Short mmCIF file of all heavy atoms in Angstrom, two decimals:
data_model
loop_
_atom_site.label_atom_id
_atom_site.label_comp_id
_atom_site.label_asym_id
_atom_site.label_seq_id
_atom_site.Cartn_x
_atom_site.Cartn_y
_atom_site.Cartn_z
N ALA A 1 30.21 38.14 -54.60
CA ALA A 1 30.18 37.76 -55.98
C ALA A 1 30.69 36.34 -56.17
O ALA A 1 30.11 35.54 -56.92
CB ALA A 1 31.02 38.75 -56.82
N LEU A 2 31.71 35.93 -55.47
CA LEU A 2 32.28 34.57 -55.58
C LEU A 2 31.23 33.64 -55.07
O LEU A 2 31.01 32.54 -55.67
CB LEU A 2 33.57 34.48 -54.74
CG LEU A 2 34.88 34.92 -55.36
CD1 LEU A 2 36.02 34.57 -54.39
CD2 LEU A 2 35.12 34.20 -56.68
N ALA A 3 30.59 33.91 -53.98
CA ALA A 3 29.62 32.98 -53.40
C ALA A 3 28.42 32.84 -54.34
O ALA A 3 27.87 31.76 -54.50
CB ALA A 3 29.14 33.52 -52.01
N ALA A 4 27.95 33.93 -54.98
CA ALA A 4 26.83 33.86 -55.88
C ALA A 4 27.17 32.99 -57.12
O ALA A 4 26.37 32.24 -57.61
CB ALA A 4 26.41 35.27 -56.29
N ILE A 5 28.40 33.15 -57.58
CA ILE A 5 28.86 32.36 -58.72
C ILE A 5 28.90 30.86 -58.32
O ILE A 5 28.48 29.95 -59.08
CB ILE A 5 30.21 32.82 -59.20
CG1 ILE A 5 30.07 34.21 -59.83
CG2 ILE A 5 30.83 31.82 -60.22
CD1 ILE A 5 31.39 34.90 -60.13
N GLU A 6 29.33 30.52 -57.12
CA GLU A 6 29.32 29.18 -56.62
C GLU A 6 27.93 28.63 -56.59
O GLU A 6 27.66 27.50 -56.89
CB GLU A 6 30.01 29.14 -55.27
CG GLU A 6 29.85 27.80 -54.50
CD GLU A 6 30.39 26.61 -55.21
OE1 GLU A 6 31.21 26.74 -56.16
OE2 GLU A 6 30.05 25.45 -54.79
N LEU A 7 27.00 29.48 -56.08
CA LEU A 7 25.59 29.00 -56.03
C LEU A 7 25.09 28.75 -57.41
O LEU A 7 24.34 27.75 -57.67
CB LEU A 7 24.74 30.13 -55.36
CG LEU A 7 23.20 29.87 -55.34
CD1 LEU A 7 22.88 28.65 -54.57
CD2 LEU A 7 22.53 31.07 -54.80
N MET A 8 25.42 29.58 -58.42
CA MET A 8 25.01 29.30 -59.80
C MET A 8 25.53 27.99 -60.27
O MET A 8 24.72 27.20 -60.86
CB MET A 8 25.54 30.41 -60.71
CG MET A 8 25.30 30.19 -62.19
SD MET A 8 25.96 31.46 -63.23
CE MET A 8 27.77 31.14 -63.09
N HIS A 9 26.75 27.66 -59.99
CA HIS A 9 27.33 26.34 -60.36
C HIS A 9 26.49 25.17 -59.78
O HIS A 9 26.21 24.23 -60.43
CB HIS A 9 28.77 26.20 -59.87
CG HIS A 9 29.72 27.18 -60.48
ND1 HIS A 9 29.60 27.71 -61.71
CD2 HIS A 9 30.90 27.65 -60.00
CE1 HIS A 9 30.56 28.54 -61.99
NE2 HIS A 9 31.44 28.53 -61.00
N ARG A 10 26.12 25.35 -58.48
CA ARG A 10 25.37 24.29 -57.77
C ARG A 10 23.97 24.09 -58.29
O ARG A 10 23.48 23.02 -58.41
CB ARG A 10 25.41 24.51 -56.29
CG ARG A 10 26.79 24.37 -55.71
CD ARG A 10 26.83 24.57 -54.19
NE ARG A 10 25.83 23.64 -53.54
CZ ARG A 10 24.83 24.11 -52.74
NH1 ARG A 10 24.72 25.38 -52.45
NH2 ARG A 10 24.07 23.18 -52.16
N VAL A 11 23.33 25.23 -58.61
CA VAL A 11 21.98 25.12 -59.20
C VAL A 11 22.04 24.43 -60.59
O VAL A 11 21.27 23.52 -60.89
CB VAL A 11 21.29 26.51 -59.36
CG1 VAL A 11 19.98 26.39 -60.11
CG2 VAL A 11 21.06 27.11 -57.96
N TYR A 12 23.03 24.84 -61.35
CA TYR A 12 23.22 24.21 -62.67
C TYR A 12 23.47 22.71 -62.58
O TYR A 12 22.87 21.94 -63.34
CB TYR A 12 24.37 24.89 -63.42
CG TYR A 12 24.82 24.20 -64.70
CD1 TYR A 12 24.06 24.42 -65.86
CD2 TYR A 12 25.91 23.37 -64.74
CE1 TYR A 12 24.42 23.79 -67.03
CE2 TYR A 12 26.31 22.76 -65.92
CZ TYR A 12 25.57 22.97 -67.07
OH TYR A 12 25.95 22.32 -68.22
N SER A 13 24.36 22.34 -61.70
CA SER A 13 24.72 20.89 -61.59
C SER A 13 23.65 20.12 -60.87
O SER A 13 23.56 18.85 -61.03
CB SER A 13 26.08 20.74 -60.90
OG SER A 13 26.03 21.26 -59.57
N GLY A 14 22.86 20.74 -59.96
CA GLY A 14 21.90 19.97 -59.15
C GLY A 14 20.52 19.88 -59.73
O GLY A 14 19.70 19.16 -59.19
N PHE A 15 20.25 20.59 -60.85
CA PHE A 15 18.94 20.57 -61.45
C PHE A 15 19.06 20.17 -62.94
O PHE A 15 20.13 20.43 -63.53
CB PHE A 15 18.27 21.94 -61.36
CG PHE A 15 17.87 22.33 -59.94
CD1 PHE A 15 18.84 22.71 -59.03
CD2 PHE A 15 16.56 22.23 -59.52
CE1 PHE A 15 18.50 23.00 -57.76
CE2 PHE A 15 16.18 22.57 -58.27
CZ PHE A 15 17.13 22.97 -57.34
N THR A 16 18.02 19.58 -63.45
CA THR A 16 17.99 19.12 -64.89
C THR A 16 17.07 20.04 -65.69
O THR A 16 15.92 20.24 -65.29
CB THR A 16 17.51 17.69 -64.95
OG1 THR A 16 18.37 16.84 -64.20
CG2 THR A 16 17.48 17.23 -66.41
N TYR A 17 17.63 20.53 -66.76
CA TYR A 17 16.83 21.34 -67.67
C TYR A 17 16.00 20.37 -68.59
O TYR A 17 16.56 19.52 -69.25
CB TYR A 17 17.67 22.28 -68.56
CG TYR A 17 16.83 23.11 -69.51
CD1 TYR A 17 16.27 24.34 -69.12
CD2 TYR A 17 16.58 22.63 -70.77
CE1 TYR A 17 15.53 25.09 -69.98
CE2 TYR A 17 15.79 23.38 -71.64
CZ TYR A 17 15.29 24.60 -71.27
OH TYR A 17 14.52 25.32 -72.17
N ARG A 18 14.66 20.53 -68.57
CA ARG A 18 13.83 19.68 -69.43
C ARG A 18 12.70 20.51 -69.92
O ARG A 18 11.87 20.99 -69.18
CB ARG A 18 13.34 18.44 -68.68
CG ARG A 18 12.61 17.48 -69.55
CD ARG A 18 12.24 16.20 -68.78
NE ARG A 18 13.43 15.53 -68.32
CZ ARG A 18 13.56 14.88 -67.17
NH1 ARG A 18 12.49 14.82 -66.33
NH2 ARG A 18 14.67 14.34 -66.85
N SER A 19 12.64 20.75 -71.26
CA SER A 19 11.61 21.57 -71.85
C SER A 19 10.22 20.93 -71.48
O SER A 19 9.98 19.74 -71.50
CB SER A 19 11.77 21.55 -73.35
OG SER A 19 10.79 22.38 -73.98
N ARG A 20 9.27 21.88 -71.17
CA ARG A 20 7.89 21.50 -70.89
C ARG A 20 7.74 20.64 -69.61
O ARG A 20 6.65 20.03 -69.41
CB ARG A 20 7.20 20.84 -72.04
CG ARG A 20 7.14 21.67 -73.36
CD ARG A 20 6.39 20.94 -74.45
NE ARG A 20 6.30 21.81 -75.61
CZ ARG A 20 7.31 21.81 -76.54
NH1 ARG A 20 8.33 21.01 -76.44
NH2 ARG A 20 7.10 22.61 -77.61
N SER A 21 8.74 20.54 -68.79
CA SER A 21 8.63 19.79 -67.52
C SER A 21 7.83 20.52 -66.48
O SER A 21 7.36 19.94 -65.49
CB SER A 21 9.98 19.39 -66.98
OG SER A 21 10.77 20.54 -66.75
N THR A 22 7.67 21.82 -66.63
CA THR A 22 6.91 22.65 -65.72
C THR A 22 6.12 23.69 -66.62
O THR A 22 6.41 23.79 -67.82
CB THR A 22 7.79 23.45 -64.74
OG1 THR A 22 8.71 24.28 -65.46
CG2 THR A 22 8.52 22.49 -63.83
N ASP A 23 5.18 24.34 -66.01
CA ASP A 23 4.47 25.46 -66.73
C ASP A 23 4.59 26.73 -65.91
O ASP A 23 5.22 26.75 -64.82
CB ASP A 23 3.06 25.10 -67.11
CG ASP A 23 2.26 24.71 -65.86
OD1 ASP A 23 2.48 25.32 -64.75
OD2 ASP A 23 1.38 23.85 -66.01
N ILE A 24 3.94 27.77 -66.38
CA ILE A 24 4.01 29.05 -65.71
C ILE A 24 3.62 29.02 -64.27
O ILE A 24 4.16 29.69 -63.41
CB ILE A 24 3.22 30.10 -66.49
CG1 ILE A 24 3.83 30.36 -67.87
CG2 ILE A 24 3.08 31.40 -65.73
CD1 ILE A 24 2.97 31.20 -68.79
#
């Protein structure tokens, strides 16, 4: 559980949320 939470932090900080930057 700790490791998965750490992975979540890294995905959040390492990727940029941008609407319509990808599609399905």
Side-chain angles (χ1 to χ4, degrees):
L2 277 184
I5 292 168
E6 167 62 16
L7 174 63
M8 175 182 70
H9 296 332
R10 292 183 54 236
V11 173
Y12 171 79
S13 62
F15 291 74
T16 300
Y17 179 89
R18 186 174 299 145
S19 181
R20 298 184 179 88
S21 58
T22 59
D23 57 35
I24 292 172

